[in-house]
Short mmCIF file of all heavy atoms in Angstrom, two decimals:
data_model
loop_
_atom_site.label_atom_id
_atom_site.label_comp_id
_atom_site.label_asym_id
_atom_site.label_seq_id
_atom_site.Cartn_x
_atom_site.Cartn_y
_atom_site.Cartn_z
N ARG A 183 18.55 38.90 4.42
CA ARG A 183 18.91 37.44 4.58
C ARG A 183 20.02 37.16 5.53
O ARG A 183 20.03 36.18 6.19
CB ARG A 183 19.16 36.86 3.20
CG ARG A 183 18.00 36.42 2.44
CD ARG A 183 18.34 35.42 1.45
NE ARG A 183 19.35 35.92 0.43
CZ ARG A 183 19.06 36.70 -0.61
NH1 ARG A 183 17.87 37.05 -0.84
NH2 ARG A 183 20.09 37.06 -1.39
N GLU A 184 21.02 38.04 5.48
CA GLU A 184 22.19 37.84 6.25
C GLU A 184 22.59 39.02 7.19
O GLU A 184 23.48 39.74 6.99
CB GLU A 184 23.41 37.56 5.36
CG GLU A 184 23.15 36.32 4.49
CD GLU A 184 24.33 36.09 3.59
OE1 GLU A 184 25.38 36.75 3.73
OE2 GLU A 184 24.28 35.18 2.72
N PRO A 185 21.72 39.21 8.23
CA PRO A 185 22.11 40.24 9.20
C PRO A 185 23.37 39.75 9.89
O PRO A 185 23.61 38.58 10.04
CB PRO A 185 20.91 40.20 10.20
CG PRO A 185 20.34 38.85 10.06
CD PRO A 185 20.60 38.41 8.64
N ARG A 186 24.23 40.68 10.27
CA ARG A 186 25.57 40.27 10.81
C ARG A 186 25.41 39.54 12.11
O ARG A 186 25.84 38.48 12.24
CB ARG A 186 26.45 41.46 10.93
CG ARG A 186 26.67 42.23 9.67
CD ARG A 186 27.45 41.39 8.73
NE ARG A 186 28.85 41.16 9.05
CZ ARG A 186 29.64 40.45 8.34
NH1 ARG A 186 29.25 39.82 7.23
NH2 ARG A 186 30.92 40.34 8.65
N VAL A 187 24.74 40.16 13.04
CA VAL A 187 24.48 39.46 14.31
C VAL A 187 22.98 39.68 14.65
O VAL A 187 22.54 40.81 14.56
CB VAL A 187 25.34 40.02 15.43
CG1 VAL A 187 24.96 39.32 16.73
CG2 VAL A 187 26.82 39.84 15.15
N ARG A 188 22.36 38.64 14.96
CA ARG A 188 20.92 38.74 15.15
C ARG A 188 20.71 38.62 16.70
O ARG A 188 21.14 37.60 17.29
CB ARG A 188 20.18 37.66 14.47
CG ARG A 188 18.71 37.75 14.44
CD ARG A 188 18.11 36.83 13.36
NE ARG A 188 18.45 35.47 13.71
CZ ARG A 188 17.61 34.67 14.36
NH1 ARG A 188 16.38 35.01 14.65
NH2 ARG A 188 17.92 33.37 14.51
N ILE A 189 20.02 39.59 17.30
CA ILE A 189 19.64 39.38 18.69
C ILE A 189 18.14 39.32 18.75
O ILE A 189 17.44 40.33 18.65
CB ILE A 189 20.17 40.61 19.51
CG1 ILE A 189 21.66 40.78 19.31
CG2 ILE A 189 19.84 40.46 21.03
CD1 ILE A 189 22.21 42.07 19.59
N PRO A 190 17.62 38.12 18.69
CA PRO A 190 16.20 37.89 18.46
C PRO A 190 15.22 38.69 19.39
O PRO A 190 14.23 39.21 18.98
CB PRO A 190 15.99 36.44 18.70
CG PRO A 190 17.37 35.81 18.49
CD PRO A 190 18.31 36.90 19.00
N GLU A 191 15.68 38.80 20.71
CA GLU A 191 14.73 39.40 21.60
C GLU A 191 14.51 40.87 21.35
O GLU A 191 13.51 41.40 21.85
CB GLU A 191 15.26 39.18 23.04
CG GLU A 191 15.00 37.72 23.41
CD GLU A 191 15.89 37.31 24.62
OE1 GLU A 191 17.04 37.88 24.72
OE2 GLU A 191 15.52 36.49 25.42
N THR A 192 15.44 41.51 20.69
CA THR A 192 15.35 42.93 20.51
C THR A 192 15.15 43.29 19.06
O THR A 192 14.85 44.42 18.72
CB THR A 192 16.58 43.67 20.94
OG1 THR A 192 17.78 43.09 20.20
CG2 THR A 192 16.83 43.48 22.44
N ASP A 193 15.15 42.27 18.20
CA ASP A 193 15.17 42.55 16.80
C ASP A 193 13.81 42.40 16.19
O ASP A 193 13.27 41.36 15.83
CB ASP A 193 16.10 41.54 16.10
CG ASP A 193 16.42 41.88 14.66
OD1 ASP A 193 15.79 42.87 14.13
OD2 ASP A 193 17.19 41.24 14.02
N SER A 194 13.05 43.55 16.08
CA SER A 194 11.73 43.48 15.69
C SER A 194 11.56 43.26 14.14
O SER A 194 10.65 42.61 13.62
CB SER A 194 10.91 44.78 16.05
OG SER A 194 11.56 45.85 15.44
N LEU A 195 12.64 43.74 13.32
CA LEU A 195 12.63 43.57 11.95
C LEU A 195 12.59 42.12 11.57
O LEU A 195 11.84 41.69 10.72
CB LEU A 195 13.91 44.20 11.45
CG LEU A 195 14.12 44.03 9.87
CD1 LEU A 195 13.23 45.04 9.15
CD2 LEU A 195 15.54 44.21 9.47
N GLU A 196 13.31 41.37 12.30
CA GLU A 196 13.39 39.92 12.03
C GLU A 196 12.08 39.27 12.21
O GLU A 196 11.55 38.47 11.35
CB GLU A 196 14.45 39.26 12.99
CG GLU A 196 14.74 37.85 12.72
CD GLU A 196 13.89 36.98 13.42
OE1 GLU A 196 13.53 37.21 14.57
OE2 GLU A 196 13.60 35.89 12.91
N THR A 197 11.36 39.66 13.26
CA THR A 197 10.06 39.11 13.52
C THR A 197 9.09 39.42 12.44
O THR A 197 8.32 38.59 11.91
CB THR A 197 9.54 39.57 14.85
OG1 THR A 197 10.57 39.52 15.79
CG2 THR A 197 8.32 38.82 15.40
N THR A 198 9.13 40.66 11.99
CA THR A 198 8.31 41.12 10.95
C THR A 198 8.54 40.32 9.66
O THR A 198 7.57 39.83 9.03
CB THR A 198 8.56 42.67 10.64
OG1 THR A 198 8.90 43.30 11.80
CG2 THR A 198 7.33 43.27 9.98
N ASN A 199 9.82 40.14 9.35
CA ASN A 199 10.14 39.35 8.14
C ASN A 199 9.51 38.05 8.23
O ASN A 199 8.94 37.52 7.30
CB ASN A 199 11.66 39.16 8.10
CG ASN A 199 12.27 40.35 7.30
OD1 ASN A 199 11.61 41.09 6.72
ND2 ASN A 199 13.58 40.39 7.32
N ARG A 200 9.67 37.35 9.38
CA ARG A 200 9.19 36.00 9.54
C ARG A 200 7.67 35.89 9.36
O ARG A 200 7.17 35.05 8.62
CB ARG A 200 9.63 35.48 10.91
CG ARG A 200 9.39 34.02 11.08
CD ARG A 200 9.99 33.64 12.42
NE ARG A 200 11.42 33.79 12.38
CZ ARG A 200 12.32 33.01 11.88
NH1 ARG A 200 11.92 31.85 11.32
NH2 ARG A 200 13.64 33.24 11.94
N VAL A 201 6.98 36.89 10.01
CA VAL A 201 5.53 36.81 9.90
C VAL A 201 5.09 37.09 8.45
O VAL A 201 4.22 36.31 7.92
CB VAL A 201 4.92 37.92 10.85
CG1 VAL A 201 3.42 37.99 10.68
CG2 VAL A 201 5.18 37.51 12.26
N GLU A 202 5.72 38.04 7.77
CA GLU A 202 5.44 38.31 6.38
C GLU A 202 5.63 37.07 5.57
O GLU A 202 4.76 36.78 4.65
CB GLU A 202 6.40 39.39 5.85
CG GLU A 202 5.77 40.84 6.10
CD GLU A 202 6.82 41.89 5.67
OE1 GLU A 202 7.75 41.54 4.89
OE2 GLU A 202 6.67 43.05 6.07
N ARG A 203 6.74 36.41 5.78
CA ARG A 203 7.03 35.22 4.95
C ARG A 203 5.98 34.15 5.16
O ARG A 203 5.52 33.57 4.23
CB ARG A 203 8.38 34.70 5.38
CG ARG A 203 8.82 33.42 4.66
CD ARG A 203 10.34 33.30 4.73
NE ARG A 203 10.82 33.32 6.06
CZ ARG A 203 10.91 32.20 6.78
NH1 ARG A 203 10.51 31.08 6.27
NH2 ARG A 203 11.34 32.25 8.03
N ARG A 204 5.56 33.96 6.43
CA ARG A 204 4.55 32.90 6.67
C ARG A 204 3.27 33.34 6.02
O ARG A 204 2.51 32.46 5.51
CB ARG A 204 4.42 32.69 8.16
CG ARG A 204 5.62 32.03 8.74
CD ARG A 204 5.35 31.69 10.20
NE ARG A 204 4.34 30.66 10.32
CZ ARG A 204 4.56 29.35 10.05
NH1 ARG A 204 5.74 28.89 9.69
NH2 ARG A 204 3.59 28.53 10.18
N ASP A 205 2.98 34.64 6.02
CA ASP A 205 1.71 35.08 5.36
C ASP A 205 1.77 34.84 3.82
O ASP A 205 0.74 34.45 3.25
CB ASP A 205 1.49 36.65 5.55
CG ASP A 205 1.00 36.86 6.97
OD1 ASP A 205 0.65 35.86 7.69
OD2 ASP A 205 1.04 38.00 7.48
N ASP A 206 2.99 35.05 3.27
CA ASP A 206 3.17 34.70 1.81
C ASP A 206 2.83 33.26 1.56
O ASP A 206 2.07 32.93 0.56
CB ASP A 206 4.61 35.02 1.34
CG ASP A 206 4.88 36.55 1.31
OD1 ASP A 206 3.93 37.25 1.43
OD2 ASP A 206 6.02 36.88 1.25
N ILE A 207 3.38 32.43 2.40
CA ILE A 207 3.13 30.92 2.21
C ILE A 207 1.66 30.70 2.30
O ILE A 207 1.07 29.92 1.54
CB ILE A 207 3.97 30.14 3.20
CG1 ILE A 207 5.45 30.37 3.00
CG2 ILE A 207 3.68 28.63 3.15
CD1 ILE A 207 6.32 29.84 4.07
N LYS A 208 1.00 31.24 3.30
CA LYS A 208 -0.40 31.00 3.50
C LYS A 208 -1.25 31.47 2.31
O LYS A 208 -2.15 30.72 1.86
CB LYS A 208 -0.92 31.80 4.74
CG LYS A 208 -0.88 30.99 6.05
CD LYS A 208 -1.43 31.83 7.14
CE LYS A 208 -1.07 31.17 8.50
NZ LYS A 208 -1.12 32.13 9.63
N ASN A 209 -0.90 32.65 1.78
CA ASN A 209 -1.62 33.16 0.59
C ASN A 209 -1.49 32.21 -0.59
O ASN A 209 -2.37 32.01 -1.36
CB ASN A 209 -1.15 34.56 0.26
CG ASN A 209 -1.48 35.53 1.35
OD1 ASN A 209 -2.41 35.29 2.16
ND2 ASN A 209 -0.76 36.69 1.42
N LEU A 210 -0.28 31.60 -0.66
CA LEU A 210 0.10 30.76 -1.78
C LEU A 210 -0.62 29.40 -1.62
O LEU A 210 -1.12 28.84 -2.66
CB LEU A 210 1.62 30.60 -1.80
CG LEU A 210 2.26 30.40 -3.18
CD1 LEU A 210 2.01 31.75 -3.98
CD2 LEU A 210 3.71 30.20 -2.98
N HIS A 211 -0.66 28.86 -0.43
CA HIS A 211 -1.08 27.49 -0.30
C HIS A 211 -2.29 27.29 0.55
O HIS A 211 -2.81 26.12 0.74
CB HIS A 211 0.04 26.63 0.33
CG HIS A 211 1.33 26.77 -0.42
ND1 HIS A 211 1.45 26.30 -1.69
CD2 HIS A 211 2.54 27.26 0.04
CE1 HIS A 211 2.69 26.51 -2.07
NE2 HIS A 211 3.38 27.05 -1.10
N GLY A 212 -2.80 28.36 1.14
CA GLY A 212 -3.98 28.29 1.93
C GLY A 212 -3.72 27.94 3.41
O GLY A 212 -4.53 28.12 4.27
N HIS A 213 -2.53 27.43 3.67
CA HIS A 213 -2.11 27.21 5.13
C HIS A 213 -0.67 27.36 5.19
O HIS A 213 0.04 27.43 4.10
CB HIS A 213 -2.58 25.87 5.63
CG HIS A 213 -2.10 24.71 4.77
ND1 HIS A 213 -0.77 24.30 4.90
CD2 HIS A 213 -2.68 23.98 3.80
CE1 HIS A 213 -0.66 23.23 4.03
NE2 HIS A 213 -1.76 23.12 3.31
#
Side-chain angles (χ1 to χ4, degrees):
Chain A
R183 273 200 304 278
E184 298 178 7
R186 301 296 288 181
V187 177
R188 189 165 64 98
I189 305 160
E191 284 160 331
T192 56
D193 190 357
S194 59
L195 177 78
E196 189 269 328
T197 315
T198 326
N199 272 351
R200 190 173 297 278
V201 172
E202 272 175 17
R203 179 158 55 88
R204 290 187 66 78
D205 285 347
D206 288 349
I207 296 170
K208 266 183 197 161
N209 294 339
L210 213 63
H211 304 298
H213 56 78

